[in-house]
Amino acid sequence: MSEVLRRYAANPDTSTIHSKGLDVLGWLERPSTQPDDEYLVSAPVSPALIGLTQLMHYVVMCRTLDLTPGQVRSHFVAATGHSQGIISAAVIAASSSWESFYQNAERGLGLLFWLGTRAQQVYPATTLNPVILQDSLNHNEGTPSPMLAITHLRYADVVQHVELTNSHLPEDRRISIALVNGPRSCVCTGPPQSLYGLNLRLRKLKAPSGADQSRIPFSKRHLKISTRFLPVTVPFHSVYLKAATDLIAQDIEKYQLRFDGMDLAIPLLATDTGADLRDHSNISLEMIAQTCNRTAYWVKSTAVPDVTHILDFGPGGVSGIGSLTNRNKEGTGVRIVFAGALTGTRKNISYKPALFDSRPESVQYSPDWSRDFRPQLVRTTCDDQLHIETRMSRLLGKPPLMVAGMTPSTVSSKFVAAVLNS
């Protein structure tokens, strides 16, 4: 699969943008030839490297279990991916044998290669104002880039701040929300200087680092939000890459990179709606449009009923999308398995070795709060009466009702006494 990327990077149409090539196997065999990090995280290189890593984790799992890709796939109810990860998911969903897997992997890597390459061609890197760069670095917010991650701020509030920022910008410099990763986790996209303006607005709302706000009224506290520029070089999931989508459509036909809905044995869930993509005749173009131009809603993509485990093949490990998915799924009975991480310290998450343990008793499940803590009706033998049972009532032997009785109470003590006596 490495050879596929090396050949694409040597294409006369792209050799200038891939100035250091894309010979992954050569880099591994001769570490001294490996390019610098700036080159590796650039859009023409990074998507293909991430996709290759995801697919290799899947190969390792299948080979270790001595199963074909189709046999492993039969245990999945659906496949999806975060942003560009949907292309790797399509490879898995379409592969029934080793032969078909490697054919589909070549198509998937081709899509990822042209995705990053065309995106960079239509959105060339620009030089940052040194003052802006230094200011962001001084506040530990990273180097200003076309994508800004915002956490611990509600989606509705992010929308409001984006709209306020755009009200001061010309139409061709405006920003938008690229990824909605969770209720309080978003990524905005657009020109780096415009995102810097949004970041300045949010910085005014942040609580100072290490500040103790315990004695400040809640309504007057600064927000504990976090903002950081992502190490990317193009504004994915935005209108700025519309021209890239048109170019990649031509590449799909030229290099025969089309995935057809008929090829998929399991649902492939869209990043923007969570809908099954098998009804599309040209899934490749649909995935490109989702990654280049549309906002991704990760909660919708992972809203699959009756799922017990989600496997994350990404290279991010505990810092990747798996941890974010784990927060979204907390208390729902869904356990995240880091298929790309050998070890970890978090006990509420499983790691790669769990995939290779065939003992039924070794399978770990996450708690489902709606099942484990739901009230139940029970009939007591002493009086043959129905009672509401919860974990609290079973522990205390009292009705499942708690009344705050602190002193001084926030309401009249007579009111508290009346509630207790009622």
Side-chain angles (χ1 to χ4, degrees):
M1 291 190 285
S2 172
E3 178 62 19
V4 175
L5 297 178
R6 191 192 67 78
R7 288 199 309 266
Y8 276 127
N11 189 307
D13 293 339
T14 65
S15 57
T16 55
I17 204 169
H18 292 89
S19 58
K20 301 177 183 178
L22 198 45
D23 185 8
V24 179
L25 187 58
W27 296 340
L28 293 174
E29 293 175 340
R30 300 178 298 278
S32 60
T33 64
Q34 180 178 314
D36 55 86
D37 290 347
E38 185 178 356
Y39 180 78
L40 295 176
V41 302
S42 65
V45 177
S46 175
L49 293 184
I50 292 173
L52 178 62
T53 305
Q54 292 169 329
L55 294 175
M56 290 311 301
H57 281 310
Y58 187 68
V59 169
V60 169
M61 183 181 74
C62 293
R63 294 293 190 187
T64 305
L65 295 173
D66 195 22
L67 298 173
T68 67
Q71 289 172 316
V72 172
R73 182 186 62 183
S74 67
H75 296 282
F76 298 155
V77 298
T80 190
H82 186 258
S83 190
Q84 64 158 64
I86 194 171
I87 296 176
S88 298
V91 173
I92 293 173
S95 302
S96 59
S97 63
W98 283 113
E99 181 182 6
S100 63
F101 174 80
Y102 286 115
Q103 291 173 348
N104 290 323
E106 289 191 10
R107 280 193 287 178
L109 292 174
L111 278 175
L112 290 167
F113 175 87
W114 291 111
L115 165 67
T117 299
R118 298 305 190 196
Q120 193 71 81
Q121 286 176 338
V122 302
Y123 196 89
T126 56
T127 303
L128 285 171
N129 184 321
V131 176
I132 291 177
L133 173 61
Q134 192 59 50
D135 179 57
S136 297
L137 294 176
N138 290 342
H139 287 85
N140 297 315
E141 295 160 344
T143 301
S145 73
M147 302 191 81
L148 175 70
I150 304 170
T151 54
H152 308 304
L153 186 64
R154 294 180 304 173
Y155 171 72
D157 293 330
V158 175
V159 172
Q160 182 181 15
H161 288 293
V162 167
E163 291 176 347
L164 288 171
T165 302
N166 282 337
S167 66
H168 302 287
L169 295 171
E171 188 171 351
D172 62 344
R173 304 292 298 172
R174 290 179 180 174
I175 59 179
S176 61
I177 296 178
L179 298 148
V180 182
N181 292 326
R184 293 176 180 269
S185 178
C186 295
V187 176
C188 292
T189 184
Q193 190 157 341
S194 300
L195 289 176
Y196 173 75
L198 171 65
N199 190 48
L200 285 181
R201 176 182 292 275
L202 296 176
R203 191 188 294 169
K204 298 175 183 177
L205 306 176
K206 289 183 186 179
S209 178
D212 180 9
Q213 301 188 90
S214 59
R215 295 185 177 276
I216 300 175
F218 189 82
S219 61
K220 296 182 179 179
R221 294 180 185 178
H222 288 280
L223 301 175
K224 292 184 178 181
I225 61 177
S226 173
T227 60
R228 186 163 186 83
F229 289 99
L230 301 181
V232 296
T233 56
V234 296
F236 287 112
H237 301 279
S238 75
V239 297
Y240 295 102
L241 298 186
K242 178 64 175 66
T245 304
D246 298 334
L247 290 173
I248 299 170
Q250 300 174 26
D251 295 323
I252 290 173
E253 301 304 323
K254 180 178 180 180
Y255 298 101
Q256 300 179 353
L257 304 177
R258 180 190 289 250
F259 281 93
D260 193 286
M262 299 294 291
D263 299 333
L264 307 185
I266 57 175
L268 179 66
L269 307 182
T271 62
D272 54 346
T273 64
D276 188 351
L277 294 180
R278 288 181 294 179
D279 293 335
H280 289 267
S281 58
N282 189 348
I283 291 178
S284 296
L285 186 57
E286 176 64 19
M287 294 188 296
I288 292 298
Q290 290 177 22
T291 306
C292 285
N293 310 130
R294 303 180 198 164
T295 301
Y297 296 89
W298 185 235
V299 173
K300 293 182 180 179
S301 301
T302 55
V304 183
D306 304 321
V307 168
T308 59
H309 294 78
I310 293 178
L311 273 59
D312 172 23
F313 292 99
V318 294
S319 301
I321 192 61
S323 291
L324 191 150
T325 308
N326 183 63
R327 289 197 296 271
N328 291 344
K329 295 296 182 181
E330 186 178 17
T332 65
V334 178
R335 191 172 187 86
I336 310 302
V337 181
F338 286 158
L342 286 172
T343 59
T345 58
R346 299 174 60 178
K347 298 186 181 300
N348 61 336
I349 289 174
S350 296
Y351 300 88
K352 184 188 281 286
L355 300 172
F356 309 135
D357 194 333
S358 60
R359 297 172 300 157
E361 64 271 18
S362 71
V363 180
Q364 293 182 297
Y365 296 89
S366 290
D368 183 344
W369 295 343
S370 65
R371 178 196 63 212
D372 299 341
F373 299 104
R374 66 185 176 188
Q376 301 180 76
L377 286 176
V378 296
R379 189 180 296 275
T380 52
T381 56
C382 61
D383 56 8
D384 197 37
Q385 295 292 314
L386 281 175
H387 298 273
I388 298 177
E389 182 196 52
T390 65
R391 290 199 175 191
M392 187 180 80
S393 65
R394 178 174 286 276
L395 175 67
L396 301 178
K398 300 292 183 180
L401 182 66
M402 181 180 292
V403 179
M406 56 181 282
T407 302
S409 176
T410 53
V411 295
S412 166
S413 58
K414 294 182 179 179
F415 177 83
V416 175
V419 172
L420 290 171
N421 292 329
S422 62

